[in-house]
Amino acid sequence: MNDTLQITLPDGSVREVARGTTPADIAAAIGLGLAKAAIAARVDGELRDITRPLDHDAQLALVTSRDEKDALELARHDYAHVLAEAVQSLFPGTQITFGPATDDGFYYDFAPKERPFTEEDLPAIEAEMRRIIAADKPLRREVWTREQLIERWKQQGETFKAEWAAELPDDEELTVYWSGGDWLDMCRGPHLASTGKLDPQAFKLTRVSGAYWRGDQKNAMLSRIYGTGWLNKKQLDAHLHMLEEAAKRDHRKIGQEMDLFHLQSEAQGSVFWHPNGYIIWRELEAYMRRRLDAGGYAEVKTPQLMDARQWEQSGHWGKYRENMFVVPDEIPNTEDDAAIFSGTADLMALKPMNCPAHVLIFRQGIKSYRDLPIRMAEFGCCHRNEPHGALHGIMRVRQFTQDDAHIFVREDQLVEEVAKFIDLLDTVYKDLGFENYAIKLALRPDKRFGSEEMWDWSEQSLRDAVAATGRNTEQFGWEELPGEGAFYAPKLEFHLTDAIGRTWQVGTIQTDTVLPERLDASYVGEDGERHRPIMLHRAILGSFERFIGILIEHHAGRFPLWLAPVQAVVATIVSDADDYAREVAAKLAAAGIRVETDLRNEKINYKVREHSVAKVPALLVVGKREAEEGTIAVRRLGSERQEVVKLDDIVAALVAEAKAPDLAR
């Protein structure tokens, strides 16, 4: 074993150091500024503690707070550990379980000794966390044996940790992290060098909820404490401001104010669309249908119920069965799928997706290589048995309608067809008010169908398609996501950024060679032989329900005129103007404007406030003078300004503005 190591830095320079040297030592040797700034290291690409000794020749990159993604992940991980230490300090006898970082913070699950935690406990816990951070306790990594871990947890009465330690893989290196010399947790790491590296003003505990041990409702109920954590107070304040703005834009609140939809327990996970909400749906659907028609798609409609054997053949039964609604809902009493599909059971399942049915349509009749590509679209109603706790307004439901399509192509057509889809998607998003989106390539998961050669080819084809559009750049947030592809194919994901900076994963396109093989789809090639088509699964909106929820929150209910359910209200100041108000409304309606009249005997300021809450884009106020002169006092939503115009002028202006983006050009 060599006593010296060759450490290669990002600039290509090589440093010869003694075995056991830490990245912190190398940072100090480079310069005092870097020594202070470095918070972790990437060793051969793996994120590690800055104080973990090096034990082999390696590529080394030092991580600072400028590497925000890594820095935030480290900080949030540390905040979770500090939270656990604080809770056990304040509430002796509390057992700890798991505490991961999340997209905007962290949480930790606890088994309290006496009572579940409540939000009244959070201020005291925050104060104790700040005390631990101020103590600047070193965070030190140690490798333990399984026996040491189990014995330690049993001695401390940590039954949940002991259970988990006993089940860890035999070949896994088991590590703990000490906070100072008096508290530890089982953790893979990495961590910052000490608790003092955290900003005590850059976190906030946000809420408490229940959670089952290991996510199984048969297990013990735990108390989960959530927090948000950042690198500095400025980032925290910006995030809290965004949360306040998000609460104002909550689609459930605005949906009620605008009378768009409601949800109730008699149909959990399904939406009751009111007339106003369904107008938005219909306008969006009509717009998408025009875009698809122009893009060469043929629209189809497929059954809701299909034989379970079809889902078994497609592979969805084995991978997705727990999320499917089965008819009858009692599956035969057997653990053997072969027995279920022997032909004696009469099992049907509501479709959770449209793709197998589209393959069955493709298989009708002989297809030639000249027929491809075939673009098959469906606004397909699907059902997925989402857990009750995962349901959220119209954003996460059990019954939803996808703007789904499948494109059957030859291998030589794939890159061009994916590039065309990206261009179409770009147009749709911009038409709907989303200027910014990121493109991510989700790569092969651990559990998957298909050969390695197929995955290599599919992943590279998607890379080439994005490159062909010029969008594989930092401007479009281009990134590759290892392990996040579907079980049958890699996929491109499209993440929208909304008006307050939140991101939403919406569109997707996936290359699939597995399903055509499993369902025996083929076309006759130029050589006269049968060939398998490549199947592209793609969506732009994702689901109408979720996308409308995103639109509501993005626009804060203030839809562009073409999507607004009520585009104008004609409101009277005095009853003498009622007949004129009806005349105005009739003329607008005849021109295609969705208009209502408000002839109530109420003060005009009251009417203005009420219709502003309902997010009506144009309020047309008429009184005796307007009736005599044939004019309208126009007040636009969000403006205090009022403009008096001729009736014909406002009709023409609203008609022009009310055209959908694809019709306005």
Side-chain angles (χ1 to χ4, degrees):
M1 182 182 296
N2 293 331
D3 291 332
T4 59
L5 304 176
Q6 302 294 313
I7 304 301
T8 304
L9 300 177
D11 64 0
S13 63
V14 177
R15 287 186 173 249
E16 187 174 283
V17 301
R19 181 179 297 276
T21 297
T22 68
D25 296 330
I26 294 176
I30 294 173
L32 182 59
L34 184 59
K36 289 181 177 179
I39 57 174
R42 284 201 172 272
V43 179
D44 293 335
E46 178 190 357
L47 192 62
R48 288 192 177 187
D49 306 325
I50 193 77
T51 57
R52 181 173 170 182
L54 298 165
D55 58 5
H56 64 280
D57 295 344
Q59 301 274 342
L60 174 69
L62 295 166
V63 175
T64 72
S65 58
R66 291 184 179 180
D67 304 298
E68 190 164 293
K69 184 177 180 181
D70 285 341
L72 278 171
E73 183 179 345
L74 286 162
R76 288 165 179 166
H77 193 173
D78 282 14
Y79 279 126
H81 278 247
V82 171
L83 166 61
E85 182 177 354
V87 166
Q88 288 199 311
S89 173
L90 292 174
F91 303 94
T94 297
Q95 292 191 59
I96 55 176
T97 61
F98 296 127
T102 64
D103 287 342
D104 63 359
F106 55 95
Y107 70 79
Y108 212 108
D109 289 346
F110 301 95
K113 183 178 181 181
E114 297 179 356
R115 60 167 177 82
F117 297 127
T118 68
E119 294 191 4
E120 285 70 31
D121 296 316
L122 299 186
I125 297 172
E126 283 185 350
E128 180 64 11
M129 289 177 67
R130 292 191 174 95
R131 185 194 67 77
I132 293 169
I133 292 170
D136 196 18
K137 302 175 70 173
L139 299 173
R140 179 167 49 86
R141 177 181 184 270
E142 288 184 357
V143 178
W144 285 24
T145 67
R146 185 187 313 279
E147 291 71 24
Q148 284 178 301
L149 271 173
I150 294 172
E151 181 62 27
R152 171 78 181 206
W153 295 134
K154 286 182 176 178
Q155 286 177 357
Q156 294 186 184
E158 299 279 6
T159 59
F160 296 97
K161 286 285 191 182
E163 176 185 326
W164 186 250
E167 296 179 14
L168 290 171
D170 291 338
D171 59 349
E172 184 172 331
E173 185 178 61
L174 306 181
T175 55
V176 299
Y177 277 81
W178 286 94
S179 174
D182 57 349
W183 190 87
L184 65 77
D185 196 0
M186 179 169 63
C187 180
R188 290 191 182 95
H191 283 279
L192 298 171
S194 68
T195 61
K197 299 295 183 183
L198 296 169
D199 185 335
Q201 303 303 319
F203 79 93
K204 181 174 179 59
L205 301 183
T206 54
R207 62 190 174 97
V208 178
S209 72
Y212 293 107
W213 166 236
R214 302 176 80 165
D216 190 335
Q217 61 183 0
K218 297 176 184 176
N219 292 337
M221 174 65 77
L222 307 173
S223 282
R224 175 172 293 178
I225 298 178
Y226 287 92
T228 184
W230 300 85
L231 299 180
N232 53 59
K233 189 175 187 299
K234 182 179 178 181
Q235 288 182 342
L236 173 65
D237 289 344
H239 178 71
L240 294 178
H241 176 74
M242 186 273 289
L243 292 181
E244 290 176 9
E245 186 62 29
K248 296 175 189 174
R249 294 168 178 258
D250 190 307
H251 71 280
R252 295 165 297 183
K253 172 178 172 286
I254 293 174
Q256 185 175 11
E257 292 170 348
M258 296 180 68
D259 192 25
L260 302 180
F261 60 85
H262 82 275
L263 303 129
Q264 64 185 73
S265 58
E266 285 79 359
Q268 283 189 350
S270 299
V271 184
F272 292 84
W273 289 101
H274 297 189
N276 280 353
Y278 202 54
I279 286 172
I280 299 171
W281 180 296
R282 289 172 55 199
E283 288 294 325
L284 187 61
E285 184 178 56
Y287 163 79
M288 289 301 299
R289 186 168 278 123
R290 292 192 299 270
R291 284 293 184 203
L292 294 178
D293 289 346
Y297 288 81
E299 190 173 347
V300 300
K301 193 72 174 172
T302 59
Q304 288 288 298
L305 273 172
M306 291 174 62
D307 193 297
R309 282 167 289 207
Q310 181 66 42
W311 297 109
E312 193 276 334
Q313 186 179 353
S314 71
H316 292 90
W317 187 265
K319 297 283 185 181
Y320 213 75
R321 168 165 61 181
E322 68 276 9
N323 295 108
M324 296 171 69
F325 289 100
V326 178
V327 182
D329 59 2
E330 299 238 347
I331 294 178
N333 185 22
T334 175
E335 297 297 319
D336 183 5
D337 278 354
I340 293 176
F341 298 109
S342 64
T344 58
D346 185 18
L347 281 179
M348 305 283 282
L350 284 169
K351 64 177 179 181
M353 51 201 65
N354 303 299
C355 29
H358 289 189
V359 177
L360 297 184
I361 292 179
F362 179 87
R363 283 174 47 186
Q364 295 296 302
I366 298 173
K367 302 295 187 296
S368 162
Y369 70 96
R370 295 187 183 92
D371 298 322
L372 304 183
I374 292 175
R375 306 179 187 98
M376 196 179 300
E378 178 174 12
F379 299 128
C381 182
C382 298
H383 293 79
R384 295 181 186 175
N385 192 13
E386 301 283 2
H388 180 270
L391 300 177
H392 176 64
I394 65 174
M395 298 285 205
R396 186 82 175 266
V397 290
R398 288 173 174 158
Q399 176 184 295
F400 58 94
T401 298
Q402 290 181 309
D403 73 314
D404 205 5
H406 295 92
I407 307 172
F408 298 88
V409 298
R410 306 188 306 264
E411 287 188 16
D412 62 292
Q413 297 171 319
L414 188 143
V415 170
E416 180 183 2
E417 198 62 30
V418 173
K420 285 181 179 178
F421 165 74
I422 296 172
D423 288 339
L424 171 61
L425 172 142
D426 180 85
T427 299
V428 170
Y429 287 170
K430 287 177 179 173
D431 280 352
L432 295 175
F434 297 96
E435 291 295 326
N436 299 314
Y437 61 88
I439 306 175
K440 317 285 185 184
L441 174 57
L443 303 172
R444 68 196 75 184
D446 291 336
K447 295 182 179 179
R448 57 185 180 268
F449 288 151
S451 67
E452 293 306 294
E453 292 77 15
M454 179 278 288
W455 281 91
D456 289 341
W457 177 81
S458 295
E459 290 171 352
Q460 189 57 46
S461 296
L462 292 179
R463 290 188 187 98
D464 293 344
V466 179
T469 70
R471 295 184 176 93
N472 57 340
T473 63
E474 186 176 341
Q475 176 189 349
F476 289 93
W478 172 249
E479 184 181 3
E480 298 194 2
L481 307 174
E484 296 192 21
F487 68 86
Y488 52 85
K491 60 180 177 177
L492 291 175
E493 298 176 353
F494 299 85
H495 298 248
L496 293 178
T497 300
D498 71 8
I500 58 174
R502 296 172 300 180
T503 58
W504 306 87
Q505 197 268 299
V506 182
T508 183
I509 188 165
Q510 305 164 11
T511 62
D512 183 5
T513 61
V514 173
L515 199 59
E517 178 74 32
R518 292 180 72 93
L519 297 184
D520 195 28
S522 66
Y523 66 91
V524 178
E526 193 172 6
D527 58 3
E529 300 296 324
R530 288 181 63 198
H531 299 269
R532 298 291 182 205
I534 310 299
M535 186 177 184
L536 300 176
H537 305 248
R538 110 301 169 270
I540 297 175
L541 306 183
S543 83
F544 273 79
E545 288 81 357
R546 182 168 178 264
F547 198 86
I548 290 173
I550 294 169
L551 278 173
I552 291 170
E553 299 198 1
H554 176 62
H555 293 290
R558 299 180 177 189
F559 290 103
L561 198 66
W562 71 279
L563 275 177
V566 178
Q567 294 171 323
V569 168
V570 184
T572 54
I573 300 173
V574 292
S575 59
D576 289 351
D578 286 0
D579 289 343
Y580 180 57
R582 294 187 185 98
E583 179 188 336
V584 171
K587 193 161 187 176
L588 287 166
I593 299 299
R594 295 186 288 273
V595 60
E596 295 179 355
T597 56
D598 187 345
L599 311 180
R600 294 173 299 166
N601 185 23
E602 298 283 358
K603 292 182 178 180
I604 191 60
N605 287 340
Y606 177 85
K607 294 181 180 182
V608 169
R609 284 195 301 272
E610 191 170 78
H611 295 302
S612 294
V613 169
K615 310 297 190 294
V616 176
L619 185 62
L620 312 183
V621 179
V622 296
K624 191 173 180 179
R625 180 177 177 180
E626 286 79 13
E628 291 171 350
E629 298 178 353
T631 58
I632 305 286
V634 180
R635 184 190 292 261
R636 292 297 189 133
L637 181 63
S639 173
E640 297 295 324
R641 192 166 149 270
Q642 189 167 283
E643 182 183 10
V644 178
V645 300
K646 291 287 187 181
L647 173 56
D648 288 346
D649 291 343
I650 190 60
V651 171
L654 290 177
V655 167
E657 189 180 339
K659 288 182 179 179
D662 61 311
L663 300 176
R665 297 189 176 97

